[in-house]
Amino acid sequence: MTAPAELSPTLQLACDLIRRPSVTPVDADCQAQMMNRLGAVGFQLEPMRFEDVDNFWATHGTQEGPVLCFAGHTDVVPTGPVQQWQHEPFEALIDADGMLCGRGAADMKGSLASMVIASERFVQDYPNHRGKVAFLITSDEEGPAHHGTKAVVERLKARNERLDWCIVGEPSSTTLLGDVVKNGRRGSLGAKLTVRGKQGHVAYPHLARNPIHLAAPALAELAAEHWDEGNAFFPPTSFQISNLNSGTGATNVVPGELTALFNFRFSTESTVEGLQARVSAILDKHELDWSVDWALSGLPFLTEPGDLLDAVAASIKGVTGRETQPSTSGGTSDGRFIATMGTQVVELGPVNATIHQVDERILASDLDLLTEIYYQTLVRLLA
């Protein structure tokens, strides 16, 4: 472990945040630490607590000009079996290989530290910068996400706040820092399908209606369906069945009902209404007695090449010497809520190889590079 005094400001702050066991939706005073730092350099701070979720909104600058927002979350996923970790999950140490180890190192306390240090430096170097630097931070990204970024965005919309550009600190990099940035995400539409049959004795199948047998051809057709072609930014929409459940537990009983959980990860080539209508048509085609409960987690969004993506790519090139690859792969993020404000959204953070895993870790030196990338992006857009 490197002595604390030898660590850069970014790594010192990252270690401090990692040592706070902020398992969702607990914040463990991570946000208080961030607000203390930002307030000390002139940011106006606005805590926003909704239900059991801590959030804050902070701004520096004037009403005139564009707004660049850093967004992220202080909550982390549970550690899993602690005994399987090489080091204590919340110890936050740098090992002999130069890796910063601890839950949240990649997802995403390292990014939060880089954002804060970059912004401190920027407002000190450019006290009269144009527009605003903003922070939108939540402790509910890894959880249900009802009272976090989504709730803050709703309040900002009600106040007619404007967000032109947003950098979300999600770990976007694949192999090397900055090799990939996310410039969009697919939508996520989940469903619970119920197919009703008639319970009976397996020896008298003519007196029963087996929902497993009835549903199987429809489920096979849904799984084989080609939903769209995708486009230059998105792969084709995918359909996956994640759970099937039926039966009484007895081998001699035809069950009366089957439930299936499935999910669409859909591109901008499909709509929620269109997907729902096509599912209904297939189920009706097979003459099933069915019902579906739909759950929309987020719509797809896309940031096409423009001011934000250009500035981020140029900063990555300037700091690391490498070209970045925009991508819309992966799951959902809170960027889906922020994009509803008409905001250009890009996700840029550390290598994501160990996120949500035992022994989560990133290359410690990457955080200082990430800080410089964030700083250079601020300079390009707001100086």
Side-chain angles (χ1 to χ4, degrees):
M1 173 66 187
T2 307
E6 299 173 3
L7 297 178
S8 68
T10 297
L11 285 169
Q12 288 183 39
L13 179 55
C15 288
D16 178 49
L17 294 175
I18 292 169
R19 291 186 183 115
R20 300 172 187 269
S22 55
V23 177
T24 190
V26 174
D27 170 65
D29 287 331
C30 290
Q31 292 180 26
Q33 174 72 336
M34 294 177 67
M35 285 190 285
N36 285 340
R37 300 287 298 251
L38 294 171
V41 293
F43 276 78
Q44 295 187 18
L45 308 172
E46 184 179 359
M48 294 187 188
R49 184 174 174 86
F50 298 104
E51 300 293 333
D52 61 343
V53 176
D54 288 306
N55 312 280
F56 79 82
W57 170 249
T59 60
H60 186 285
T62 66
Q63 296 293 338
E64 301 299 324
V67 180
L68 171 58
C69 176
F70 287 108
H73 59 91
T74 55
D75 59 318
V76 298
V77 296
T79 63
V82 175
Q83 64 273 16
Q84 294 184 14
W85 287 68
Q86 295 183 36
H87 311 286
E88 288 294 322
F90 298 108
E91 188 176 357
L93 58 80
I94 299 175
D95 67 14
D97 296 322
M99 305 297 288
L100 174 61
C101 308
R103 175 59 84 224
D107 190 14
M108 54 172 285
K109 292 180 175 179
S111 297
L112 296 180
S114 291
M115 290 172 174
V116 170
I117 300 304
S119 297
E120 285 179 344
R121 178 180 160 200
F122 177 74
V123 301
Q124 289 167 340
D125 290 349
Y126 300 92
N128 299 313
H129 62 82
R130 70 190 189 108
K132 282 185 178 179
V133 183
F135 276 75
L136 195 171
I137 305 299
T138 184
S139 61
D140 186 35
E141 197 274 345
E142 300 290 7
H146 297 313
H147 305 299
T149 300
K150 180 180 180 181
V152 175
V153 164
E154 289 171 355
R155 177 169 291 185
L156 296 177
K157 284 182 179 178
R159 299 193 320 212
N160 295 316
E161 297 265 8
R162 190 180 84 247
L163 270 69
D164 298 280
W165 306 307
C166 181
I167 299 175
V168 184
E170 290 292 344
S172 62
S173 304
T174 301
T175 305
L176 299 169
L177 179 70
D179 59 357
V180 173
V181 297
K182 305 292 186 180
N183 67 321
R185 293 281 192 163
R186 295 176 295 174
S188 177
L189 177 63
K192 179 181 179 181
L193 168 67
T194 300
V195 177
R196 290 170 288 273
K198 182 180 179 181
Q199 185 172 316
H201 197 295
V202 296
Y204 302 93
H206 59 289
L207 299 177
R209 296 181 67 247
N210 191 322
I212 300 174
H213 295 182
L214 295 171
L219 293 175
E221 184 170 343
L222 287 168
E225 183 75 0
H226 188 72
W227 302 96
D228 60 44
E229 297 290 341
N231 55 37
F233 298 99
F234 288 96
T237 291
S238 68
F239 170 90
Q240 287 293 313
I241 299 169
S242 57
N243 186 275
L244 284 175
N245 187 44
S246 189
T248 65
T251 60
N252 60 350
V253 178
V254 173
E257 189 172 274
L258 172 142
T259 60
L261 302 181
F262 61 84
N263 180 269
F264 285 102
R265 292 301 167 102
F266 63 104
S267 75
T268 50
E269 295 298 305
S270 290
T271 65
V272 172
E273 296 77 15
L275 293 173
Q276 290 173 335
R278 290 172 66 182
V279 168
S280 297
I282 290 172
L283 296 174
D284 285 341
K285 171 185 171 183
H286 290 271
E287 300 181 343
L288 301 176
D289 179 7
W290 62 273
S291 61
V292 174
D293 293 324
W294 295 98
L296 177 65
S297 298
L299 294 169
F301 69 90
L302 176 68
T303 295
E304 297 195 42
D307 293 339
L308 179 59
L309 198 55
D310 291 349
V312 166
S315 297
I316 292 170
K317 176 72 171 179
V319 174
T320 69
R322 59 186 66 111
E323 303 287 344
T324 193
Q325 177 65 46
S327 170
T328 61
S329 64
T332 59
S333 78
D334 276 1
R336 69 191 189 273
F337 303 125
I338 298 166
T340 64
M341 299 181 71
T343 307
Q344 295 180 36
V345 179
V346 166
E347 298 174 24
L348 169 60
V351 173
N352 57 26
T354 62
I355 58 173
H356 293 206
Q357 296 182 17
V358 168
D359 289 333
E360 181 178 348
R361 59 189 58 210
I362 57 173
L363 191 62
S365 58
D366 275 355
L367 290 188
D368 291 324
L369 296 177
L370 183 61
T371 300
E372 186 64 24
I373 292 170
Y374 289 156
Y375 175 82
Q376 294 296 338
T377 302
L378 283 163
V379 170
R380 283 182 164 87
L381 292 173
L382 296 182

